[in-house]
Amino acid sequence: MKTLFFGTSAFAVPTLRIVAQQTQCAGVVTAPDRPAGRGQRLQPSPVKRAARELGLRVYEPVRLRAFAAELAGEDFDLFVLASYGRILPPALLELPRLGALNVHPSLLPKYRGATPIQSAILHGERTTGVSIMLMDAGLDTGDVVAAQAVDLGPDETYGELHDRLAQTGAELLREALRAAERGELRAAPQRGEPTLTRLIERDDLLVDWNWPAERIARTVRAYSPQPAARAEIDGESVKLLRAHVDETGRLVIDELIAPNRGKMSGEAFTRGRSGRA
């Protein structure tokens, strides 16, 4: 089965490896290199680095409609997407014989859009999951071919849940590829009330100490380790990495990053401040 893979972030890498193992992957489409780090040097996406390790051809199109015209003479059985970051135009979706499968980290139609993992934690969900969707022209609106629920740990951070869902999505995609090869890929419309997520803005990261303890703990977990929730403690701006609510209902800051002192426990930070006084 001839495929083309679309992906950009680290979430997509386990899925790419499954596609490379299980199909004739003709190439990988990813976002162009972007400046990153203190020197703002151009850096390849995690998917581009993985594609090079796998010896796969890499495409970095800027204009997807022009890219569709470039591919028009080739025969593809299936496109696979995971965290690509752009919506495919109809001209691309029409190219593969069996359509395009997208690995999305939520139980659709809940948490469509850019930040489903963070949103599940922020809203205090106890269960989320992964859906494999047959793409259409909308934003995560296509029919679902497979889904798997995943329980959230009470103190689980975005980074931890991200890695778990990336592996779960890759394994679910493996089964979907087998079904496609057998000609048994079945899709059903999404059922339930849709919700839509949005990109994270800087103000979303700011913690207000007047919030209930549970809301603060969820906010810290939803943005850890990156980009990290921010707060002021006695006039000092810190990044919050871990927090929980103890059995008495009190908020406990377990880990933070303090200016010029790096990562430390909340207890060590408090001791340091007491010492200064």
Side-chain angles (χ1 to χ4, degrees), residues 76-170:
F76 293 101
D77 294 304
L78 189 69
F79 286 174
V80 177
L81 290 87
S83 190
Y84 176 50
R86 300 170 69 181
I87 296 176
L88 300 195
L92 266 176
L93 292 175
E94 292 168 358
L95 290 179
R97 179 175 61 88
L98 297 174
L101 294 179
N102 185 18
V103 181
H104 184 81
S106 80
L107 295 175
L108 291 170
K110 206 164 189 178
Y111 302 131
R112 293 171 174 169
T115 53
I117 302 175
Q118 297 94 330
S119 297
I121 296 174
L122 280 172
H123 287 87
E125 301 286 359
R126 296 187 176 182
T127 302
T128 184
V130 177
S131 302
I132 307 292
M133 173 189 60
L134 192 58
M135 294 184 68
D136 60 16
L139 177 61
D140 300 329
T141 55
D143 292 350
V144 171
V145 303
Q148 183 169 329
V150 170
D151 291 337
L152 276 76
D155 299 323
E156 195 163 21
T157 65
Y158 160 73
E160 293 162 347
L161 182 58
H162 168 282
D163 291 351
R164 274 208 303 142
L165 293 180
Q167 293 297 333
T168 301

Side-chain angles (χ1 to χ4, degrees), residues 233 238-243 252-258 261-273:
I233 301 179
V238 300
K239 294 182 179 179
L240 305 172
L241 297 181
R242 286 187 180 274
V252 178
I253 302 298
D254 300 300
E255 191 174 47
L256 54 77
I257 298 176
R261 282 170 285 166
K263 188 183 296 186
M264 61 175 58
S265 70
E267 186 179 2
F269 178 79
T270 302
R271 281 201 309 271
R273 297 197 65 78

Side-chain angles (χ1 to χ4, degrees), residues 134-205:
L134 192 58
M135 294 184 68
D136 60 16
L139 177 61
D140 300 329
T141 55
D143 292 350
V144 171
V145 303
Q148 183 169 329
V150 170
D151 291 337
L152 276 76
D155 299 323
E156 195 163 21
T157 65
Y158 160 73
E160 293 162 347
L161 182 58
H162 168 282
D163 291 351
R164 274 208 303 142
L165 293 180
Q167 293 297 333
T168 301
E171 291 303 320
L172 200 59
L173 190 277
R174 185 198 299 275
E175 297 304 315
L177 290 176
R178 288 172 176 161
E181 286 180 322
R182 297 192 302 266
E184 297 175 355
L185 202 60
R186 302 285 182 267
Q190 297 180 21
R191 299 181 183 280
E193 186 67 26
T195 57
L196 185 63
T197 65
R198 60 173 175 79
L199 293 172
I200 298 167
E201 298 179 358
R202 187 172 180 80
D203 285 351
D204 295 326
L205 306 178

